[in-house]
Amino acid sequence: MELVKIYECLCDLTRLRVLHVLARGPLCVCHFQAVLAEPQVKLSKHLAYLRARGLVSVTRRGNWMVYALPSAPPPELRANLACLQDCAREQPVFRRDLARLERLAPTLAETGPGCCGPATRPPRRARTAAPGRAR
Amino acid sequence: MELVKIYECLCDLTRLRVLHVLARGPLCVCHFQAVLAEPQVKLSKHLAYLRARGLVSVTRRGNWMVYALPSAPPPELRANLACLQDCAREQPVFRRDLARLERLAPTLAETGPGCCGPATRPPRRARTAAPGRAR
DNA sequence: CGACTATATTCCTTTTGAGGTATATGAATC
DNA sequence: GATTCATATACCTCAAAAGGAATATAGTCG
């Protein structure tokens, strides 16, 4: 893996945060939304970016896409991810993410990384008029 | 120092090579030209970039600008520079740079990092004697 | 002072990426 | 088969940055 490609992935804060929490275990996009408090599009795009460069892997699980760090990362990646963990330890942004991840932990343990438990799902009110219909 | 800023500096190969050789000791721009085999403008601009972000420091020495790693880098920077050294060990580009640096070593030892010894200088026809003395 | 040297800066073009809005896709469920 | 949910993609705009050519600047030497 090219060293520069790795650093290109690391030079965006959102991606750093993604990789940082992924070290704790696989996550799906809706969990990323909860943990990082960022909009879905933004996360999807950054995850696609990381995926295209081989920094994360994906597996579909029903409706959910579960992202994870590669099972056997090349040494340069391993080294840099370790370094990131080390550097992030002190910084508030990353600590906040971890805190929100912890708060999610029970749900995660219960349902696995591939889905959002019913608790996290919106109320689902009876509906008729749906705005933003496609085509 | 902001983590992302560091990675932004690392995500260009030329800058990586600059930082990598700087770990061996301070260098002036003309030595960078010799070691990295890149045009002056390119190096000057990347050095300015690194300087603006505090990854390198400069001191003028006569006509020469001597660049060096900061004397007391913050922990995040220290960690990442170490990581870079580690990762670069295997890669041909970086090894080549080091080889050219070694070849420059005698000159460096003789004249200090602040000037290009007579050996590296163009022939300088007919002129009066011994040019390029730094102070 | 004037020539020269080492390095910096400006201007230009091209590429890349970030973020947002709107829309598409694929699986599940009724 | 139509809805709904989770996620992805397309399109757009804006900013940054890379590389090259030309030129500027700041020292030094004679």
Side-chain angles (χ1 to χ4, degrees), chain A:
Chain A
M1 181 172 303
E2 266 186 74
L3 208 42
V4 177
K5 293 293 171 191
I6 295 181
Y7 288 126
E8 283 172 356
C9 289
L10 298 181
C11 71
D12 176 275
L13 182 56
T14 308
R15 290 196 293 263
L16 277 187
R17 294 167 70 199
V18 163
L19 293 169
H20 177 241
V21 302
L22 269 189
R24 259 60 178 188
L27 278 186
C28 65
V29 181
C30 58
H31 280 150
F32 276 118
Q33 290 183 68
V35 171
L36 304 193
E38 296 282 356
Q40 179 257 322
V41 203
K42 189 170 172 179
L43 292 171
S44 258
K45 284 201 286 191
H46 282 299
L47 286 166
Y49 186 104
L50 290 171
R51 185 188 181 182
R53 285 154 186 83
L55 289 241
V56 302
S57 65
V58 215
T59 39
R60 166 152 249 141
R61 180 165 175 180
N63 256 343
W64 297 272
M65 302 295 277
V66 180
Y67 287 85
L69 295 181
S71 43
E76 321 85 81
L77 181 54
R78 267 190 67 75
N80 276 291
L81 289 179
C83 187
L84 168 60
Q85 287 303 122
D86 207 55
C87 296
R89 213 178 305 278
E90 310 292 327
Q91 308 217 1
V93 207
F94 298 99
R95 298 179 66 99
R96 268 197 299 274
D97 292 344
L98 282 196
R100 278 185 295 241
L101 181 60
E102 302 288 332
R103 212 173 311 139
L104 221 66
T107 308
L108 267 174
E110 182 192 326
T111 63
C115 80
C116 293
T120 23
R121 209 107 30 91
R124 250 270 227 188
R125 70 272 147 101
R127 64 138 73 264
T128 328
R133 301 258 26 95
R135 21 157 110 268

Side-chain angles (χ1 to χ4, degrees), chain B:
Chain B
M1 183 172 303
E2 266 186 75
L3 208 43
V4 177
K5 292 293 171 191
I6 295 182
Y7 288 125
E8 283 172 355
C9 288
L10 297 182
C11 73
D12 175 276
L13 181 56
T14 306
R15 290 196 292 262
L16 278 186
R17 294 168 69 198
V18 163
L19 294 169
H20 176 243
V21 302
L22 269 189
R24 258 62 179 189
L27 277 187
C28 64
V29 180
C30 58
H31 280 150
F32 276 118
Q33 289 184 67
V35 171
L36 304 193
E38 296 281 356
Q40 179 257 323
V41 201
K42 190 169 173 181
L43 292 171
S44 257
K45 283 201 284 192
H46 281 299
L47 286 165
Y49 187 105
L50 290 172
R51 183 189 182 181
R53 285 153 185 84
L55 289 240
V56 302
S57 66
V58 215
T59 38
R60 165 152 249 144
R61 180 163 172 182
N63 257 342
W64 297 273
M65 302 295 277
V66 180
Y67 286 85
L69 295 181
S71 43
E76 323 87 80
L77 181 54
R78 264 191 69 75
N80 276 293
L81 289 179
C83 188
L84 168 60
Q85 287 303 122
D86 207 53
C87 296
R89 213 178 304 279
E90 310 293 326
Q91 310 219 359
V93 207
F94 297 99
R95 297 179 65 98
R96 268 196 298 274
D97 292 345
L98 281 197
R100 278 184 294 241
L101 181 61
E102 301 288 333
R103 211 172 312 138
L104 221 66
T107 308
L108 268 172
E110 181 193 328
T111 64
C115 79
C116 291
T120 22
R121 208 97 43 80
R124 194 68 140 104
R125 61 287 128 114
R127 265 21 205 78
T128 356
R133 302 254 36 88
R135 25 162 76 258

